[in-house]
Amino acid sequence: MVYGLRTTRADPATAHIPCVALSANAMPQDVSEALAAGFDEYWTKPLNLQRFLADIDALAAALG
């Protein structure tokens, strides 16, 4: 998961794209590690629809 993020962040053409981790691993350590690695958000399964929609709006707004 983190390898793909590193590749995305290293390429100037894609570095600005928001990246979200989606996982069934919901332990606080899993979330902390993913966010520390550079993910913009961390969603867990089952997906919380209200949070998903709010995060999508926020991430799209950040792109301009």
Side-chain angles (χ1 to χ4, degrees):
M1 175 166 62
V2 175
Y3 172 77
L5 178 65
R6 286 187 196 133
T7 302
T8 300
R9 297 291 192 224
D11 186 338
T14 58
H16 69 286
I17 297 172
C19 294
V20 177
L22 174 61
S23 177
N25 297 332
M27 299 300 292
Q29 181 177 345
D30 298 321
V31 176
S32 296
E33 288 175 3
L35 295 175
F39 282 96
D40 296 292
E41 294 289 340
Y42 188 96
W43 299 335
T44 58
K45 300 175 191 178
L47 201 56
N48 176 314
L49 185 59
Q50 289 180 331
R51 179 178 174 204
F52 170 78
L53 294 174
D55 285 351
I56 290 292
D57 286 344
L59 292 168
L63 287 174

